[in-house]
Amino acid sequence: MPVLYGVFLYMGVASLNGIQFWDRCKLYLMPAKHQPDYTFLRHVPLRRVHLFTVVQIVCLTVLWVLKSTMAAIIFPVMILGLIVVRKMLDWVFSQHDLAWLDDILPEKDKKKEEDKKKKKKKKKNGRGEEGDSEDESKPPVPPPVKIPMDTLQPDPVNSSPSPGREGPPAV
């Protein structure tokens, strides 16, 4: 049984990497100088990030304590209560902040999406207002190289026909 607990503990710790809540919890322990470049930090002030994280930690703690007491029977009702808490966050945070802190898209996809938008903006500013198609992110395909065949000299080794074969030499 302890081996099974160890496997589950390892799987849980290994899956923490990349979860925004865990990343925000780690931000408490590191100075601003050493913070990684998270996209939500580009758009939301650090104090607001910390406030949102504290609210989530309090909700998690309340659910954990509730689960461990005799009142665990109302646990599903408390899960519904989290919906009310989320709606009350609209009064504390702007929609812009909530979109970056409480969104479905993973961090890496948000960063890629933001970089695409920046590239698109640079292209539009660089060459006018042409082309809003999706394939702007692909590099342009160079034109094919045309080699005139009449200027090529036949190779004397391969140009002689085979003894039992007639017709043009095989290429």
Side-chain angles (χ1 to χ4, degrees), residues 22-131:
W22 183 249
D23 292 339
R24 286 187 277 116
C25 287
K26 290 190 305 187
L27 285 177
Y28 280 113
L29 304 174
M30 65 178 72
K33 176 181 172 182
H34 298 291
Q35 289 176 353
D37 182 31
Y38 295 130
T39 49
F40 60 87
L41 287 178
R42 294 180 191 175
H43 299 280
V44 181
L46 188 60
R47 295 180 74 90
R48 306 293 284 176
V49 171
H50 287 330
L51 178 63
F52 186 78
T53 306
V54 165
V55 169
Q56 283 189 319
I57 290 172
V58 166
C59 288
L60 181 65
T61 306
V62 166
L63 286 176
W64 191 285
V65 168
L66 180 74
K67 173 192 81 74
S68 302
T69 64
M70 292 294 288
I73 194 76
I74 63 168
F75 184 77
V77 176
M78 293 308 290
I79 296 291
L80 290 175
L82 290 177
I83 297 172
V84 175
V85 171
R86 173 58 177 87
K87 288 298 179 185
M88 290 181 0
L89 287 177
D90 289 339
W91 298 337
V92 179
F93 296 96
S94 69
Q95 288 300 317
H96 177 262
D97 292 350
L98 286 175
W100 284 103
L101 293 174
D102 190 29
D103 200 17
I104 297 172
L105 275 177
E107 176 74 21
K108 62 179 181 151
D109 293 342
K110 279 187 177 181
K111 195 175 275 192
K112 286 179 186 176
E113 191 176 291
E114 186 177 290
D115 291 342
K116 274 185 183 178
K117 285 180 182 177
K118 283 182 181 179
K119 284 181 184 178
K120 232 181 207 184
K121 213 177 246 187
K122 283 182 183 179
K123 279 186 178 181
K124 279 187 179 181
N125 291 341
R127 62 178 178 160
E129 294 292 327
E130 33 177 277

Side-chain angles (χ1 to χ4, degrees), residues 136-162:
E136 280 187 3
S137 61
K138 297 179 186 175
V141 179
V145 178
K146 295 182 180 180
I147 302 173
M149 298 302 285
D150 56 345
T151 59
L152 293 176
Q153 298 293 330
D155 190 13
V157 176
N158 292 332
S159 64
S160 61
S162 302

